[in-house]
């Protein structure tokens, strides 16, 4: 039998790294993060100036409660690495997540073929230490979110 923790974990919400992820690692429990792309924020569905590019992002009050303007510094880092790699930002964000200790697989919602392609790219896209450092550097702590 395999045990897994389903948790809110992505590049702009890393609070699980403080207690839950280490506990799961200690107990041999794998991680299945939900919202690996921060409800599309890391894939580019929102802009710093407030522009919303998708129907979901325009109608996502829950996402608005989870993430803030400060998170766009992380989004910018993801976009920079993605541009250098010649891949979509979603692939970079997912590659970072799958490279975290204990992460078994992210829960990826797919409504378009490109969403599947981004997830499949995890098989070959590996980030180097310098890229990981750049992606993690702009992170700002959050209050515990996504739990009720």
């Amino acid at each position: 039998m395999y045990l897994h923790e389903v948790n809110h974990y992505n590049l702009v919400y890393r609070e699980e790294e403080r207690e839950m992820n280490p506990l799961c690692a200690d107990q041999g429990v794998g991680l299945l993060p939900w919202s690996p792309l921060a409800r599309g924020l890391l894939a580019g569905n929102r802009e710093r100036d407030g522009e919303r590019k998708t129907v979901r992002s325009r109608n996502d009050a829950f996402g608005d409660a989870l993430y803030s303007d400060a998170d766009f510094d992380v989004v910018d880092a993801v976009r920079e690495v993605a541009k250098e790699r010649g891949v979509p930002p979603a692939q970079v964000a997912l590659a970072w997540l799958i490279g975290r200790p204990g992460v078994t697989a992210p829960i990826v919602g797919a409504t378009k073929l490109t969403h599947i392609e981004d997830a499949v790219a995890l098989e070959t896209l590996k980030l180097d230490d310098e890229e990981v450092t750049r992606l993690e550097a702009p992170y700002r702590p959050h209050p515990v979110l996504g739990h009720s």
Side-chain angles (χ1 to χ4, degrees):
M1 178 167 74
Y2 298 99
L3 297 175
H4 288 88
E5 163 69 13
V6 177
N7 59 350
H8 181 204
Y9 185 42
N10 56 54
L11 261 169
V12 295
Y13 185 81
R14 295 173 41 208
E15 297 310 303
E16 298 294 289
E17 292 175 350
R18 298 180 194 283
E19 295 178 8
M20 186 55 73
N21 291 3
L23 173 66
C24 288
D26 179 67
Q27 297 299 307
V29 175
L31 305 173
L32 295 172
W34 60 268
S35 199
L37 297 176
R39 299 180 74 83
L41 180 68
L42 293 165
N45 73 3
R46 295 170 175 87
E47 295 295 332
R48 191 182 292 270
D49 66 5
E51 179 187 356
R52 306 297 177 104
K53 296 181 176 182
T54 64
V55 172
R56 179 183 185 183
S57 67
R58 288 188 291 272
N59 298 292
D60 188 14
F62 184 59
D64 292 340
L66 293 176
Y67 309 113
S68 71
D69 289 344
D71 296 324
F72 279 101
D73 293 341
V74 176
V75 173
D76 291 343
V78 169
R79 288 176 176 170
E80 288 172 14
V81 171
K83 183 177 179 182
E84 292 165 8
R85 286 291 195 115
V87 299
Q91 290 183 15
V92 170
L94 291 171
W96 175 85
L97 187 61
I98 200 69
R100 299 304 87 214
V103 173
T104 304
I107 298 172
V108 179
T111 58
K112 300 176 183 172
L113 180 58
T114 57
H115 298 162
I116 301 291
E117 293 167 349
D118 290 339
V120 170
L122 292 175
E123 183 67 28
T124 57
L125 181 62
K126 307 295 181 219
L127 301 172
D128 64 34
D129 292 342
E130 184 268 338
E131 290 168 324
V132 169
T133 298
R134 287 172 50 205
L135 292 168
E136 293 178 349
Y139 180 74
R140 300 292 175 264
H142 289 73
V144 175
L145 299 168
H147 311 281
S148 56

